[in-house]
Amino acid sequence: MDAPYARLEELEPGIARVLAHNPSAFTYYGTQSYLIGEREVAVIDPGPDLPEHIDALEKAIGGRPLVAIMCTHTHRDHSPAARPLAERTGAPIIGCAPLALETVGPRADASFDGDYAPDRVFEDGDELTVDGEAVTAVATPGHTSNHLCFAYRGALFSGDHVMGWSTTVVVPPDGDMADYMASLEKLRQRDDRTYYPAHGPAVTNPRQYVRHLVGHRMQREKQILSLVNDQTRDIPDIVANAYPALDPRLTVAAGGSVLAHLIDLERRGLVERRGEEWKAA
Ligand SMILES: [Zn+2]
């Protein structure tokens, strides 16, 4: 694919980007790692553990002091480069919490980076200073339970909570639709001027874009409710009806999102589960 892999792109003063070579149906052209600051810098979402990507990040840092390596969440396309970059530079890993993953049980999921070990965990509102200005954590659970966005100089690094190319995947048990919707509402209350997501182009109309995402999920919820109102259905049946012309690589993710909606609707007393089947309550 023709994309600016391993090249440092200046987006605005003090904000630059390096694209990792991990394109897929879930990552678009790949993970965008961001460099913030000028005289001193921090890296947001170092990305997958690919030596050429870590080389490109090291080159982009260019010997400037690296204040922190920050991760929005611990999916394998976001955090695995944190450790090798920390070893090369001596910088601390600061950001989202590690997830308590069991090798068996409800939370085990191959998409998580089980080796992630931060030096310091940020909670909502925690901040550090890069080049004289604050980077503030904004807790945004939903895509994952440990997801953080980072605010800096009026921009918001939105990770996978809000992406620039596609709606985000919310898959139980760690993904939670009610949390995701609450986290969208939280962003809607803010006045960030631009979002820089980990995948896809910058979002330059954040409020309008978030309103559109909320509307999209509410439409989807209505559609699922009406499907299980008609008759009792299992998830593959709901996916087949709700997502015509779906890229087959995304069938499992779509099923996860449907399940996330159903669990939320079940908690609200609107649907009931019978084994693998769901019906309106
Ligand atoms: Zn993710």
Side-chain angles (χ1 to χ4, degrees):
M1 259 190 276
D2 184 26
Y5 295 118
R7 281 213 303 272
L8 181 67
E9 298 173 276
E10 280 294 332
L11 303 173
E12 56 177 273
I15 297 179
R17 169 173 79 188
V18 180
L19 177 65
H21 195 268
N22 61 334
S24 78
F26 294 97
T27 61
Y28 198 46
Y29 287 102
T31 304
Q32 299 174 126
S33 300
Y34 290 96
L35 248 77
I36 60 171
E38 287 165 296
R39 284 162 304 164
E40 60 176 20
V41 294
V43 169
I44 295 177
D45 279 342
D49 185 2
L50 300 172
E52 73 273 20
H53 182 60
I54 299 165
D55 289 346
L57 287 175
E58 204 178 2
K59 192 170 155 218
I61 295 162
R64 290 174 290 178
L66 181 61
V67 178
I69 300 163
M70 311 184 77
C71 298
T72 59
H73 65 298
T74 47
H75 274 152
R76 301 200 63 83
D77 55 325
H78 289 258
S79 55
R83 182 55 51 197
L85 187 61
E87 279 163 8
R88 290 195 197 187
T89 60
I93 300 169
I94 300 175
C96 70
L99 281 186
L101 289 182
E102 288 113 54
T103 48
V104 291
R107 281 212 153 170
D109 182 334
S111 64
F112 283 98
D113 170 15
D115 297 328
Y116 172 74
D119 297 292
R120 190 175 154 205
V121 170
F122 262 13
E123 315 267 344
D124 188 51
D126 283 349
E127 56 183 53
L128 57 81
T129 302
V130 176
D131 213 1
E133 293 196 57
V135 188
T136 309
V138 181
T140 43
H143 172 66
T144 59
S145 59
N146 63 350
H147 197 288
L148 300 177
C149 295
F150 297 111
Y152 185 69
R153 295 186 181 178
L156 188 81
F157 296 86
S158 57
D160 282 1
H161 176 50
V162 173
M163 303 199 286
W165 74 292
S166 156
T167 54
T168 201
V169 171
V170 178
V171 176
D174 191 60
D176 185 296
M177 191 59 72
D179 285 352
Y180 170 73
M181 294 297 278
S183 294
L184 286 180
E185 180 55 29
K186 184 173 188 173
L187 292 201
R188 221 173 53 76
Q189 305 284 338
R190 297 175 51 87
D191 57 359
D192 306 292
R193 65 182 156 76
T194 305
Y195 292 172
Y196 290 113
H199 310 282
V203 175
T204 53
N205 55 343
R207 272 174 198 267
Q208 201 185 334
Y209 192 77
V210 169
R211 217 171 26 243
H212 158 80
L213 292 178
V214 170
H216 169 81
R217 295 292 170 161
M218 286 169 71
Q219 273 302 113
R220 182 69 77 203
E221 178 185 285
K222 228 167 95 184
Q223 188 183 22
I224 291 170
L225 257 181
S226 108
L227 283 167
V228 297
N229 241 323
D230 290 348
Q231 59 180 88
T232 300
R233 296 177 191 267
D234 63 11
I235 286 176
D237 182 24
I238 297 171
V239 170
N241 281 282
Y243 298 80
L246 179 69
D247 179 338
R249 294 173 299 172
L250 299 178
T251 307
V252 171
S257 276
V258 167
L259 176 60
H261 275 294
L262 288 167
I263 289 171
D264 181 31
L265 290 165
E266 185 183 38
R267 283 194 206 129
R268 288 152 55 197
L270 296 169
V271 303
E272 284 171 7
R273 184 201 299 238
R274 285 192 184 161
E276 295 300 304
E277 308 235 288
W278 297 81
K279 70 178 197 63

